[in-house]
Amino acid sequence: MIKKLFGEINMTWKKVIIYAIAAGVYTALMAILVPDWCSFHDIAVTEEGWILLALVVITNCEKPLEAALKTFVFFLISQPLVYLIQVPFSDMGWGLFGYYRYWFMITLLTFPGAFIAWYIKKDNILSGIILSVALVLLCLQGVGYLKSALSEFPHHLLSTVYCIGIIPVFIFIILKNKKAKILSCIISAAALAVILVYTFALSTSYIMAGNVLLDDIGNIQLDEGCEVEVSDEAVSKAWIEEDYQGDYQLMMEFYKYDTNTVTITDANGNETVIEIYLDEDKNYRVSKK
């Protein structure tokens, strides 16, 4: 049954369109009905689930251009549908489509990406290298989910299992060439080892990370020209980041339950100094100094 998914389906345009609609509807339902810490919600936010969906299209096409066109159309239909279905249920309304900008860029990249990925079907050493690009991405996502699951069990546990577990499935089901399989296994194992060491041994472990809302302390204009400094880097770090809608927000990683002073300097040299306190329930309070 699994083997049939990767190369034994007559992927007609009709099937591509039905497949795209089904994927969009399912993803929208997961976004609406499932909490954001749950693994089933992740397909609405991150890319790892879409790697599987894309490979089903790509491996069932006869030519690289066909794979590029059909994969592009698959994403062009499914991704906007995800947001369209959510609009009536979201407080953001049509503003929810601001997040589509990120997925539209991915959609554009699927054309050249699928064209190249089709050569996995050639089943040679190059096939193993091409497939390994997706496998390394799965390693990155999987270790990220593992860290989340260990810190707030069982958050994203199923996503961790999926990301790591689907790697051997791709290698041993899609690839037939022994050398290609061995190469993909080596690259995946090496990538997983490096990412695990960096994530758990070399990087600083944080207890909470995310954007900090500043609405309660007045109007603070954030843009790419702002610089951010914290008084104690042992407590937290901070930076300015652009979100999917093109808005800038204050991002922080906390390493302790404590108070830190954050200084935001705009492009004109004007400073805003705030204090941010994180309690042991992982709630933060913001006040202006």
Side-chain angles (χ1 to χ4, degrees):
M1 178 61 182
I2 297 177
K3 287 184 178 180
K4 186 175 181 179
L5 288 174
F6 304 105
E8 298 181 18
I9 298 173
N10 181 19
M11 189 59 69
T12 63
W13 278 107
K14 181 180 179 180
K15 289 180 181 178
V16 170
I17 293 170
I18 293 172
Y19 184 39
I21 293 172
V25 171
Y26 171 81
T27 302
L29 291 176
M30 293 302 100
I32 295 168
L33 301 175
V34 179
D36 59 7
W37 54 264
C38 181
S39 295
F40 289 101
H41 185 276
D42 292 332
I43 193 172
V45 182
T46 50
E47 306 89 354
E48 66 280 348
W50 294 91
I51 293 175
L52 170 60
L53 299 180
L55 281 174
V56 171
V57 177
I58 293 166
T59 56
N60 285 291
C61 292
E62 297 298 323
K63 301 287 184 181
L65 182 58
E66 178 192 359
L69 288 169
K70 288 182 176 177
T71 305
F72 174 73
V73 170
F74 170 76
F75 277 84
L76 194 63
I77 293 173
S78 59
Q79 286 301 326
L81 187 59
V82 171
Y83 297 102
L84 182 63
I85 294 173
Q86 291 183 73
V87 165
F89 305 95
S90 172
D91 294 336
M92 295 179 65
W94 291 102
L96 195 66
F97 268 87
Y99 293 103
Y100 177 57
R101 187 175 78 164
Y102 172 75
W103 284 98
F104 180 67
M105 294 302 297
I106 290 180
T107 299
L108 294 178
L109 292 173
T110 61
F111 189 91
F115 190 98
I116 296 170
W118 181 87
Y119 286 90
I120 293 171
K121 290 167 62 74
K122 289 293 186 180
D123 205 30
N124 51 29
I125 293 295
L126 180 60
S127 303
I129 294 173
I130 294 171
L131 181 61
S132 295
V133 174
L135 302 183
V136 171
L137 177 59
L138 287 167
C139 289
L140 280 167
Q141 294 286 69
V143 173
Y145 286 133
L146 176 62
K147 187 173 184 177
S148 175
L150 291 175
S151 62
E152 297 183 85
F153 188 84
H155 291 190
H156 305 291
L157 179 60
L158 288 179
S159 289
T160 306
V161 174
Y162 161 77
C163 287
I164 304 303
I166 201 70
I167 291 173
V169 173
F170 285 162
I171 293 173
F172 293 102
I173 297 298
I174 296 178
L175 299 175
K176 305 295 186 296
N177 183 281
K178 184 177 179 180
K179 290 182 179 179
K181 288 180 181 180
I182 292 173
L183 179 61
S184 293
C185 286
I186 292 172
I187 293 173
S188 300
L192 184 60
V194 169
I195 296 165
L196 281 169
V197 169
Y198 177 80
T199 301
F200 291 100
L202 300 181
S203 65
T204 306
S205 179
Y206 56 82
I207 55 177
M208 195 190 83
N211 65 307
V212 175
L213 299 178
L214 304 176
D215 300 343
D216 295 338
I217 59 171
N219 186 25
I220 298 179
Q221 296 296 325
L222 300 177
D223 55 46
E224 59 184 357
C226 289
E227 295 182 359
V228 182
E229 293 183 5
V230 295
S231 60
D232 189 350
E233 293 186 351
V235 174
S236 64
K237 74 174 183 179
W239 68 96
I240 302 297
E241 184 174 292
E242 185 179 9
D243 65 15
Y244 295 130
Q245 293 180 286
D247 298 322
Y248 289 88
Q249 54 191 349
L250 176 65
M251 304 293 296
M252 294 193 71
E253 285 183 358
F254 287 90
Y255 312 116
K256 296 180 181 179
Y257 299 109
D258 205 342
T259 301
N260 209 354
T261 300
V262 180
T263 302
I264 303 172
T265 307
D266 65 23
N268 297 318
N270 300 313
E271 291 187 351
T272 301
V273 182
I274 57 178
E275 282 190 340
I276 301 178
Y277 170 69
L278 181 72
D279 64 29
E280 293 187 0
D281 293 322
K282 296 187 178 180
N283 299 313
Y284 64 84
R285 294 195 297 271
V286 182
S287 59
K288 199 168 185 178
K289 291 193 70 173

